[in-house]
Amino acid sequence: MVNAVMFWIIAALTVIPAFSLLFARKAVHVAMSVVLVMVGLAAAYVTLGAPFLGMVQIVVYTGAVMMLFLFVLMLVGVDQREELKETIKGQRWIGLFTAAGLGAFLVSIVVRTTLPVAPTGVQGEPDVIAIMLFEKYVLVIEVLGFLLITAAVGALVLTHTPRLKPRRTQLEVQRDRVRVGADPVNKPMPGVYARHNALDVPALDPEGRPIEHSVSRVLKIRNQTVEGEQWRAQLEDPSRKEGDR
Amino acid sequence: MDPINFVILASILFAIGSAAVLLRRNAIIAFMGVELMLNAANLALVAFSRIHGEIDGQIMAFFVLVVAAAEVVVGLAIIIAVFRARQTISLDEPAELKG
């Protein structure tokens, strides 16, 4: 027999987060709720006398599968909007009705069945499972090995993108830069004549003219730059102060 | 408490997972619904293993777990391939075969 309190805790821990699959807007929230469901299921396995399977459930599902989901969410962008226009008319209600009907059907059948419960449950400890796996089901284990390696190769093939253009070497990059007349070396740093927060002051070239492109483009867009004129004037006439132009 | 209650819980979780597959358009969320259905089946297997006092149900649940892991890898690779081709993971967008 199973502890009743444990059952209700597990039921709450699995069913409530599972509803986020239907109602949560953001896929990340759904993924984290499904992680909770998986932890609840692992607790259920331990309660039902399968401690090994419970641990495997935590390692494989919460540790590997759901984190893989999160990685893919990161790759495709977390704010992929789900459009609410229905392609098939009334799909929402048909789907909800079908799923609720399926649930009611399954529950009504299971409630009616009475199975004699074995008085002594088995404990699925690792050694018991291992002997079973590698004696009775050894062929299935081999086939699963084939399946896993096929899946790994399949994933590699599906996500592989062929290189369309040859890789550009550093020499080619440098030649292109010189050909279009860009700076052959690094851009000059801003703020050579540091008077205040000097990143917004353009550097001066040897003839004393401000080099406009030495200031960050971002600062220019935000109108946070300072003209180089006043600094040059101050150099020529040290009696002038910073404020007057 | 009778372990058959866990089979009822598994049925409810299966229904929620199937509803997610039927209702959501985001491919990743629908895929998580598939995962929930697989896990519900696993829970039923383990519960029956407890009821019958046999370890075979747990072994079957273990096999389902491995197959589900392989399925997740290939499925997510397909989602990424589709996303690379058309910048969307909506299940309604790819409709080239529509008559």
Side-chain angles (χ1 to χ4, degrees):
Chain A
M1 290 294 120
V2 183
N3 191 342
V5 179
M6 200 65 195
F7 172 77
W8 287 112
I9 291 174
I10 289 166
L13 193 60
T14 49
V15 173
I16 294 168
F19 272 112
S20 78
L21 272 168
L22 307 181
F23 302 117
R25 290 236 161 264
K26 290 195 168 168
V28 178
H29 297 169
V30 179
M32 295 320 286
S33 317
V34 175
V35 167
L36 259 185
V37 176
M38 300 303 172
V39 172
L41 286 177
Y45 295 164
V46 175
T47 313
L48 287 168
F52 175 71
L53 206 61
M55 290 305 121
V56 169
Q57 169 85 3
I58 286 191
V59 170
V60 171
Y61 265 102
T62 67
V65 169
M66 295 320 294
M67 293 309 121
L68 201 61
F69 270 103
L70 285 179
F71 276 131
V72 171
L73 276 176
M74 186 182 74
L75 277 180
V76 302
V78 282
D79 39 39
Q80 281 271 339
R81 286 268 152 244
E82 201 173 355
E83 83 267 34
L84 293 169
K85 190 174 68 67
E86 287 187 318
T87 322
I88 306 167
K89 210 164 177 224
Q91 187 198 357
R92 188 168 306 145
W93 297 112
I94 296 171
L96 213 57
F97 182 76
T98 313
L102 177 69
F105 175 69
L106 287 174
V107 169
S108 67
I109 287 178
V110 174
V111 164
R112 268 168 227 209
T113 51
T114 44
L115 286 172
V117 180
T120 53
V122 285
Q123 277 292 314
E125 299 287 350
D127 48 350
V128 185
I129 300 268
I131 289 168
M132 199 76 174
L133 274 182
F134 291 104
E135 276 179 2
K136 192 171 171 190
Y137 292 103
V138 67
L139 196 66
V140 187
I141 282 283
E142 301 281 336
V143 173
L144 282 182
F146 282 125
L147 177 74
L148 275 178
I149 205 147
T150 314
V153 173
L156 281 179
V157 170
L158 277 172
T159 53
H160 177 255
T161 45
R163 180 177 285 280
L164 295 176
K165 287 181 273 185
R167 188 191 292 273
R168 291 179 80 205
T169 62
Q170 202 175 7
L171 188 66
E172 286 165 352
V173 173
Q174 182 251 336
R175 275 184 189 147
D176 287 351
R177 236 193 233 175
V178 170
R179 204 181 55 230
V180 299
D183 280 319
V185 291
N186 291 344
K187 281 185 179 177
M189 296 296 288
V192 176
Y193 294 97
R195 296 303 168 104
H196 59 292
N197 187 8
L199 278 182
D200 57 348
V201 186
L204 302 182
D205 67 2
E207 291 165 18
R209 288 187 304 254
I211 309 169
E212 289 301 334
H213 66 266
S214 67
V215 176
S216 166
R217 203 166 47 87
V218 178
L219 292 179
K220 268 183 204 157
I221 292 168
R222 291 189 192 150
N223 287 324
Q224 290 177 333
T225 56
V226 177
E227 294 295 319
E229 296 294 326
Q230 48 177 324
W231 314 117
R232 198 152 48 99
Q234 206 174 345
L235 273 182
E236 286 157 3
D237 182 7
S239 66
R240 291 178 66 172
K241 286 281 173 293
E242 192 175 308
D244 36 83
R245 296 196 170 222
Chain B
M1 186 176 239
D2 202 323
I4 199 80
N5 286 311
F6 278 99
V7 184
I8 298 173
L9 179 63
S11 313
I12 293 170
L13 287 177
F14 190 90
I16 295 174
S18 66
V21 174
L22 289 173
L23 295 178
R24 301 303 291 252
R25 274 76 174 284
N26 189 326
I28 291 181
I29 296 181
F31 203 38
M32 283 190 237
V34 175
E35 288 306 306
L36 192 65
M37 286 158 82
L38 281 166
N39 274 286
N42 260 355
L43 181 60
L45 281 174
V46 177
F48 281 127
S49 153
R50 171 69 187 77
I51 290 171
H52 293 297
E54 305 267 348
I55 203 111
D56 293 70
Q58 297 182 17
I59 307 279
M60 290 302 156
F62 183 76
F63 291 155
V64 171
L65 210 80
V66 176
V67 173
E71 174 241 351
V72 162
V73 168
V74 175
L76 287 178
I78 290 173
I79 288 177
I80 287 184
V82 170
F83 178 75
R84 280 210 185 123
R86 47 185 79 232
Q87 269 69 48
T88 181
I89 53 168
S90 173
L91 288 175
D92 285 349
E93 288 292 324
E96 254 95 66
L97 292 178
K98 203 170 166 187

